[in-house]
Amino acid sequence: MSARDFKATLRLPEGAFSMKADLAKREPQWLDRWNKAGLYRAMLERPSEKTFVFHDGPPYANGNLHYGHVLNNTLKDFVTRCRTILGERVKFIPGWDCHGLPIEQNVERALGPKMRELTPMQRRAKCRDEAQKWVDAQSAQRQRLGMLGTWDAPYLTMQPAFEARVLEALAAFVDRGLVYRGLKPVWWSSAERTALAESELEYEDDHKSPSVYVRFRGDHAVSDKLRERFPTLREGGPVSAVIWTTTPWTLPANRALAVHPELEYVLLERSKRDGSVEYLLVAEPLAKSVIAACGWNTPELLPRTMHGAGSAFVGKELEGLVFSHPFEERRSPIVFADYVESTAGTGIVHTAPGHGREDYNTGVKYGLEVYSPVDDAGEFTEELGPVAKSWGIVGKHVFAANPVISAKLEELGVLCNADGAFIVHRYPISWRSKKPLLTRATVQWFIAMDEPMKGGVNPGKTLREVSLEEIDRLAKDGALAQEQGAEARGWVPAWGRERIHGMMFARPDWCISRQRAWGVPIPALHCEHCGHPNLSSALVRHVAKLFASQGADAWYDENAPVVPEGFCCEKCGATHGFTRDASILDVWFESGSSFYAVCASDPDLGFPCDLYLEGSDQHRGWFHSSLLVGVATHGQAPYKTVATAGFVGEKVQVAQPDGKMKTVLKAMSKSDIEKKRQGGEDVSVYDPQKVIAADGAEILRLWVASNDYTDDIGLSKAAFDQVKESYRSIRNVLRFLLQVVRGEVVETVAEVGAALQPIDRWQQQKLVALVARCESAYRHFDFRAVVAAVSEFLSDASGFYLDVSKDWLYNDYKSDRVRSTLAVCDAMVRSIAVILAPILPFTTEDVWDHLPRRKDDPTSVHLCMWPKLSCEHDSTLDDAVRVVRELRDRANLAIEPVVSAWGAEKKAAQQEKRVAGEDEVRWPESARIDHPRDADVELDVSEGDASILRPLTGVLAECLLLGALTVNVRDGVPRTRAVRGAKSACVRCRRRIRDVDSASGLCVRCSTAVARWDAEHPAPSAG
RNA sequence: GGGCCCAUAGCUCAACGGGUUAGAGCGCCUGGCUUAUAACCGGGAGGUUCCGGGUUCGGGUCCCGGUGGGCCUACCA
């Protein structure tokens, strides 16, 4: 008669939750299901305590999603989901930035020369299609990440309602007296005849530019002034200020010479071969290099430093001096500028306000003329001075004119160095034509940073002042929140304040106009009679109304009523004859107005927003422009909290100066990836779409959640492999919990009530702590702390609590301790599903699907509320478990050498077997311990510890996973002894325990369980 | 060139206002189980906290200076 197989009487883990996630295949199915069920709407319609206004910064509708988007969008979705699950209402309206030059150029590239034949309206229609194409593509890609949002009703900056609100925001600036028209240098591509934005610049590393040192002669007044200081200055020895430039073509536009007020300057006395002398003014630290560059260091020409009362003097002392332009009949005064450096050039900077931003700023400060005699094609115009004109360079491209100008400088004897000298440096080129750019002053619309504001909130203060105050108000609020331990507010992380403050402090006036077609027009009307550009707020609001119904295309529609009835020129009163302004608004103005267009007017949202979350580059971009618009329209920042993410880089090994290798983050470059691809490397990890297709969006989400997103994040195959590993480990413990619960509706912890066993109560306490920890982490946007806390919790549960409870979960039959443990396991799996739902929406839904529904259970984990577990914390249980685990470690240490010696013996025997054919293992049977449950351990426990572990005394052997355990309560050096347990193990629970009945092979516990099982399961009549 | 930021185990991260022997998860090595099995359990190795100074009784933590890296910015005029 064969022994009875008791397997059927055990309560073994079972369930259909697969070990393999198969995410790539299954994620789309869940998405589909959620869509059909209207999950997000259901989430929004739940009763909630408060509304959390989370405003999407619009990505640019151009190209597929890259890792920056993945990082950013995933974080946004964590926020939407965790705030929702914490009981708030989060209506996330995804948006897109649809206007602007890159889209226009995509279209131009596709259409080629045909573009020119189209009317502005037709061109705009093409651009709209192009933008919409990318909106659709990105929308699908963002949704594939699992992102929640009102995808059927996004906001687009090209929607008429949005365009109208942008103009209303502009009207607010006009009302506050901040909008003006001015002349200002911009990056200009002569090849494309257009201004370029920062993002459209590329840099050529080895660009060759001419390098010229030029004399600016000083008159008698200069000589006289300097003689006060340097009495030996010879009468008739000309004095010149020496400048250096790489753009000789800007010399016709020279209007001043800039020196640093604190920099030291010297006069060089240079004796020429003919016996005459000249005096050259340069910065002291640069004198040597200027002498070298100009070839003055031959012995007979060696200049001497002029020594006066002091060896040198500071730039300040040059105040009021005026020098002569090298070829035109005009004067160049000395001005002061902080940007003048002592590391390159001569320390005296040729200043052409029409051809450089710094020069321009200096020009504004000193009231210099912004003069730029260059047209759209980059060619000199008739505005050139008479001398330059006489050189025949009118109509010549400025770069082509460079050699002519150098040659003339030499002819005139004002060139210090050799004609034809050049330098190699980094220089901006057009991203499209790759042609070098020039800076050129053009007439543009501006917003004044430093004009006192009229009306509204904070009248009399400037835009810059209020903006800086707002930046600090947020910072203070954030500090206060931190002090109070409240959820994170203000600048997150706090150093965001430094970044945006520095930028706001130093920024120039905001140039809001662009000479393009694809955007929101600046609705100015130019009077044909007097030339006045009319831009009143009434006019702007009139056009806004028109745009609201017809879209911004109306501006390009001859028949649209853009001129209000009864309109007359502000300046001359003319009632007809108006030309529409040809510029559009900077796209940053549009996106900066998004809170105004999307949130402020939506009853579900409001002003200010609770949160903006973008990459830290947006301190310059969206955070910045939104702040300015917020101050103009509402007198305050449009957000309460600004959270920032870093950048995604690539992990690479780099040799350090000391020869050691170090892993370092490098910015990802397309060309590097392309090189790898050509080198046969697998580059799919660099394409998020490919990662999603292979491993699922969940892996990307977990990757984001395990990193410190406030810093830059590294990308590598190894990084993803690790994420996949941690995913599996989380998934497997959840799987085991599900298998323990086995799809049965088990009692809740509350229902178990007083029958809750101490060990289960302890685990429940841990769970309560975990829930609290994760809530706090979510409120601080600290997602990685959630993942870390849950991982550690699950790993600990797997290694101790679950391992220990297996004994009774499998072997008891409907005992109180099974009820008790099942209740806690159920609570664990449910709580953790909810905790992780914001980060792993797919997996947690999978878990939820495998849990039986209780009454009131929602159909989706995403409709669950945050776990509300109550459990008074009993710290004596913590102490008891601590002692138990110490004993467990001691027992394990005692058993380990026996187990591993046995293992070594067995291995040796197996090898020997192959040689000698022996079957028997020689290790004495009495000493064999394969598994802790074979062991019989005797432990000394101090009286103190014995008392501490009293709550768990009843399950001590199980906690130590042992077959049998003898505890000797005695103080002194504790002894631990492990031997093999009883001769025969219980055939059912496999414990080598003393009370095994030799007939049945069952221990007492198991025979009771079997008897009860048999009673409830009448055997079938036969067999 | 300027502003802001980062650097702790192979990887991702901890270490409350300076205070025991710098921890965890994953990986790695190793042994076991075969009732979580492409799983699980035990044991173990692995750190000059980037470098150099300073303050301090005491520095991963604070200060200064480097090195490497990132973002933003800048017509090296």
Side-chain angles (χ1 to χ4, degrees):
Chain A
M1 164 184 159
S2 60
R4 176 174 170 187
D5 180 6
F6 291 104
K7 207 158 191 166
T9 71
L10 298 170
R11 191 183 187 284
L12 293 180
E14 61 179 44
F17 187 84
S18 63
M19 189 139 41
K20 194 168 172 248
D22 209 7
L23 293 166
K25 195 179 113 200
R26 296 172 68 203
E27 284 174 356
Q29 296 167 3
W30 279 303
L31 287 170
D32 194 42
R33 184 170 108 192
W34 293 331
N35 269 336
K36 283 185 177 136
L39 176 69
Y40 186 49
R41 189 171 312 122
M43 290 169 80
L44 284 175
E45 282 166 3
R46 277 187 323 181
S48 52
E49 289 162 20
K50 62 166 280 207
T51 293
F52 184 81
V53 185
F54 180 23
H55 183 39
D56 187 28
Y60 197 67
N62 183 24
N64 291 312
L65 251 52
H66 57 245
Y67 270 103
H69 295 119
V70 168
L71 171 62
N72 188 36
N73 284 308
T74 305
L75 290 170
K76 285 177 183 176
D77 195 47
F78 292 167
V79 171
T80 306
R81 288 175 181 276
C82 78
R83 303 308 293 220
T84 301
I85 222 155
L86 286 168
E88 292 172 4
R89 180 181 149 81
V90 190
K91 180 170 160 189
F92 184 80
I93 304 177
W96 276 274
D97 202 352
C98 301
H99 288 135
L101 190 57
I103 290 169
E104 207 170 337
Q105 292 191 328
N106 280 354
V107 172
E108 276 180 14
R109 204 168 346 200
L111 286 182
K114 271 204 305 194
M115 184 80 169
R116 293 221 181 115
E117 297 161 21
L118 300 180
T119 65
M121 274 280 236
Q122 289 170 319
R123 257 182 273 164
R124 286 172 60 91
K126 295 275 182 201
C127 290
R128 172 164 295 118
D129 291 347
E130 172 73 10
Q132 188 65 50
K133 180 180 96 187
W134 289 114
V135 167
D136 293 343
Q138 290 192 5
S139 177
Q141 290 162 359
R142 292 174 87 185
Q143 290 180 62
R144 181 62 188 82
L145 284 171
M147 216 177 168
L148 290 178
T150 58
W151 299 105
D152 53 348
Y155 79 86
L156 308 181
T157 59
M158 62 182 180
Q159 286 161 343
F162 193 102
E163 292 172 330
R165 287 294 278 177
V166 168
L167 287 195
E168 285 172 33
L170 178 64
F173 280 94
V174 174
D175 275 336
R176 309 203 74 176
L178 299 179
V179 180
Y180 70 91
R181 206 164 145 77
L183 190 65
K184 196 180 164 176
V186 292
W187 277 118
W188 191 270
S189 172
S190 51
E192 286 116 0
R193 297 178 174 236
T194 178
L196 291 182
E198 267 303 317
S199 60
E200 294 146 3
L201 305 187
E202 276 184 15
Y203 291 87
E204 185 177 56
D205 276 329
D206 305 318
H207 186 78
K208 223 167 124 177
S209 295
S211 167
V212 295
Y213 290 79
V214 184
R215 290 178 180 90
F216 278 60
R217 291 252 157 80
D219 56 13
H220 288 291
V222 171
S223 303
D224 293 348
K225 179 91 192 282
L226 289 172
R227 196 169 295 108
E228 287 172 16
R229 180 107 202 198
F230 304 109
T232 58
L233 194 85
R234 269 202 256 164
E235 192 86 37
V239 176
S240 300
V242 181
I243 63 99
W244 174 58
T245 182
T246 57
T247 52
W249 63 267
T250 61
L251 285 170
N254 176 281
R255 286 297 180 268
L257 298 177
V259 298
H260 194 290
E262 306 303 333
L263 188 60
E264 294 203 322
Y265 288 84
V266 290
L267 257 192
L268 304 179
E269 181 183 308
R270 177 175 170 236
S271 311
K272 298 192 197 170
R273 285 217 168 94
D274 61 10
S276 65
V277 294
E278 69 165 337
Y279 298 97
L280 300 153
L281 184 64
V282 295
E284 196 278 331
L286 289 160
K288 251 182 148 170
S289 73
V290 174
I291 290 164
C294 297
W296 292 334
N297 51 348
T298 50
E300 66 273 28
L301 300 184
L302 190 69
R304 291 192 299 276
T305 299
M306 167 69 75
H307 290 283
S311 61
F313 50 95
V314 290
K316 244 187 285 186
E317 296 179 49
L318 297 169
E319 184 161 24
L321 295 188
V322 177
F323 292 79
S324 301
H325 192 277
F327 44 85
E328 299 292 352
E329 272 302 315
R330 63 165 36 255
R331 323 257 284 150
S332 279
I334 289 286
V335 295
F336 299 129
D338 289 336
Y339 56 81
V340 176
E341 287 173 356
S342 55
T343 49
T346 66
I348 302 171
V349 174
H350 146 59
T351 297
H355 291 301
R357 197 170 110 191
E358 285 176 336
D359 294 15
Y360 172 81
N361 290 337
T362 304
V364 168
K365 202 166 138 198
Y366 288 91
L368 303 174
E369 183 195 2
V370 180
Y371 168 68
S372 176
V374 176
D375 65 12
D376 288 2
E379 291 164 2
F380 280 117
T381 66
E382 293 287 346
E383 294 167 87
L384 272 179
V387 177
K389 242 194 218 172
S390 73
W391 295 342
I393 54 177
V394 170
K396 213 173 171 81
H397 192 280
V398 293
F399 293 133
N402 267 339
V404 179
I405 294 170
S406 301
K408 291 291 178 187
L409 291 173
E410 180 151 52
E411 247 178 73
L412 292 167
V414 292
L415 187 66
C416 300
N417 63 330
D419 189 12
F422 61 87
I423 64 157
V424 173
H425 62 159
R426 212 159 145 249
Y427 193 83
I429 56 173
S430 161
W431 66 331
R432 203 169 149 223
S433 63
K434 310 294 178 194
K435 294 267 171 61
L437 303 179
L438 50 121
T439 349
R440 173 178 173 241
T442 53
V443 176
Q444 305 288 351
W445 290 96
F446 293 93
I447 287 172
M449 293 301 299
D450 301 305
E451 283 294 314
M453 293 190 283
K454 294 180 199 155
V457 189
N458 300 311
K461 288 190 174 178
T462 68
L463 188 55
R464 194 191 311 275
E465 280 165 3
V466 179
S467 299
L468 290 172
E469 283 170 17
E470 283 296 285
I471 289 168
D472 277 335
R473 181 175 64 81
L474 257 70
K476 276 192 196 119
D477 191 42
L480 186 67
Q482 199 183 5
E483 227 170 84
Q484 297 170 336
E487 62 185 49
R489 294 198 303 262
W491 304 104
V492 180
W495 51 256
R497 183 258 171 208
E498 311 307 323
R499 240 175 112 87
I500 195 166
H501 192 276
M503 291 168 177
M504 187 59 75
F505 186 80
R507 69 155 299 147
D509 281 354
W510 187 0
C511 174
I512 54 168
S513 50
R514 299 285 184 275
Q515 288 65 56
R516 303 297 303 185
W518 181 228
V520 175
I522 295 179
L525 292 174
H526 297 260
C527 177
E528 287 167 11
H529 302 278
C530 70
H532 180 70
N534 291 280
L535 189 75
S536 66
S537 63
L539 172 60
V540 176
R541 291 207 169 89
H542 164 79
V543 177
K545 267 195 206 115
L546 182 68
F547 284 8
S549 58
Q550 298 186 27
D553 280 352
W555 192 253
Y556 305 90
D557 177 356
E558 290 292 315
N559 303 314
V562 299
V563 183
E565 258 178 67
F567 182 81
C568 56
C569 175
E570 293 164 339
K571 197 172 172 195
C572 72
T575 54
H576 63 280
F578 296 106
T579 313
R580 302 173 194 189
D581 194 290
S583 353
I584 57 166
L585 277 166
D586 178 12
V587 288
W588 288 109
F589 189 93
E590 294 185 49
S591 59
S593 307
S594 62
F595 74 87
Y596 193 64
V598 177
C599 304
S601 52
D602 185 331
D604 284 340
L605 302 171
F607 180 95
C609 300
D610 286 291
L611 178 67
Y612 274 33
L613 191 168
E614 303 295 331
S616 60
D617 55 335
Q618 298 303 326
H619 284 117
R620 161 72 49 187
W622 191 52
F623 303 147
H624 193 104
S625 57
S626 296
L627 176 56
L628 293 174
V629 178
V631 168
T633 57
H634 291 74
Q636 70 176 87
Y639 36 66
K640 295 179 188 163
T641 299
V642 175
T644 46
F647 281 73
V648 178
E650 187 195 350
K651 287 258 140 157
V652 289
Q653 291 280 318
V654 173
Q656 296 295 99
D658 59 8
K660 282 189 201 158
M661 294 304 280
K662 194 178 172 174
T663 310
V664 143
L665 209 62
K666 286 270 189 189
M668 280 206 286
S669 86
K670 276 183 189 158
S671 56
D672 283 355
I673 294 169
E674 182 54 24
K675 254 181 237 161
K676 286 186 192 189
R677 198 186 61 76
Q678 286 170 353
E681 250 181 83
D682 178 12
V683 293
S684 57
V685 72
Y686 301 109
D687 180 352
Q689 310 304 328
K690 289 200 173 114
V691 174
I692 291 173
D695 300 313
E698 205 90 303
I699 296 303
L700 288 179
R701 296 178 68 104
L702 187 57
W703 168 68
V704 170
S706 350
N707 277 272
D708 175 7
Y709 64 85
T710 63
D711 195 1
D712 296 336
I713 296 187
L715 182 74
S716 68
K717 180 150 189 325
F720 280 131
D721 286 346
Q722 193 206 320
V723 171
K724 283 189 247 176
E725 256 338 293
S726 32
Y727 175 83
R728 283 172 32 164
S729 110
I730 292 169
R731 184 180 179 90
N732 265 319
V733 183
L734 290 173
R735 172 170 174 267
F736 184 57
L737 286 168
L738 286 170
Q739 289 182 333
V740 164
V741 175
R742 303 209 305 186
E744 295 162 17
V745 178
V746 301
E747 290 170 285
T748 63
V749 171
E751 283 160 359
V752 170
L756 195 69
Q757 308 289 305
I759 182 91
D760 301 313
R761 170 125 191 242
W762 171 77
Q763 184 65 21
Q764 179 75 2
Q765 283 180 184
K766 283 200 75 174
L767 180 62
V768 171
L770 175 74
V771 170
R773 169 84 191 91
C774 292
E775 173 171 354
S776 160
Y778 273 135
R779 292 196 180 280
H780 287 84
F781 309 108
D782 191 357
F783 310 112
R784 125 195 98 141
V786 174
V787 173
V790 170
S791 296
E792 204 175 329
F793 177 89
L794 288 175
S795 167
D796 182 76
S798 175
F800 180 66
Y801 177 71
L802 293 172
D803 204 27
V804 160
S805 349
K806 273 192 267 193
D807 174 73
W808 57 83
L809 281 174
Y810 294 179
N811 299 304
D812 280 11
Y813 188 73
K814 295 189 179 174
S815 67
D816 273 358
R817 56 185 194 176
V818 172
R819 287 171 57 206
S820 174
T821 301
L822 283 179
V824 171
C825 286
D826 184 72
M828 280 164 66
V829 69
R830 283 168 179 267
S831 305
I832 290 170
V834 176
I835 290 171
L836 290 181
I839 292 166
L840 303 176
F842 301 103
T843 303
T844 52
E845 189 76 321
D846 196 8
V847 169
W848 197 250
D849 282 346
H850 287 82
L851 274 169
R853 292 282 169 273
R854 290 219 178 88
K855 221 182 114 198
D856 303 331
D857 268 352
T859 51
S860 165
V861 71
H862 302 295
L863 293 168
C864 288
M865 296 310 291
W866 191 250
K868 284 197 181 70
L869 308 174
S870 57
C871 179
E872 209 178 305
H873 193 92
D874 180 354
S875 63
T876 63
L877 289 176
D878 293 333
D879 296 335
V881 168
R882 182 178 45 77
V883 171
V884 165
R885 294 178 83 157
E886 280 164 18
L887 297 183
R888 192 175 189 248
D889 289 344
R890 273 169 59 197
N892 279 335
L893 278 170
I895 293 166
E896 209 279 328
V898 188
V899 175
S900 71
W902 159 239
E905 181 71 18
K906 196 163 74 172
K907 198 175 244 173
Q910 277 165 353
Q911 281 170 355
E912 227 171 273
K913 187 175 132 194
R914 268 181 247 125
V915 182
E918 270 180 59
D919 234 345
E920 281 306 301
V921 174
R922 289 166 304 173
W923 190 262
E925 186 72 11
S926 63
R928 253 180 70 175
I929 302 177
D930 299 325
H931 188 279
R933 68 174 166 251
D934 286 330
D936 185 335
V937 170
E938 198 178 337
L939 280 169
D940 288 352
V941 177
S942 72
E943 262 183 65
D945 281 355
S947 133
I948 291 170
L949 62 78
R950 190 152 298 134
L952 296 174
T953 308
V955 287
L956 197 52
E958 288 88 343
C959 284
L960 271 51
L961 299 174
L962 300 173
L965 171 70
T966 310
V967 171
N968 304 313
V969 178
R970 59 181 286 277
D971 289 323
V973 181
R975 293 169 308 186
T976 312
R977 199 168 61 91
V979 295
R980 192 179 196 218
K983 200 166 182 185
S984 44
C986 169
V987 295
R988 187 163 172 273
C989 72
R990 302 184 178 179
R991 285 181 304 173
R992 206 163 278 278
I993 194 171
R994 284 173 211 115
D995 61 3
V996 175
D997 175 67
S998 55
S1000 65
L1002 292 173
C1003 67
V1004 173
R1005 180 262 305 268
C1006 285
S1007 61
T1008 313
V1010 169
R1012 292 181 62 187
W1013 191 88
D1014 285 347
E1016 289 185 24
H1017 299 79
S1021 47

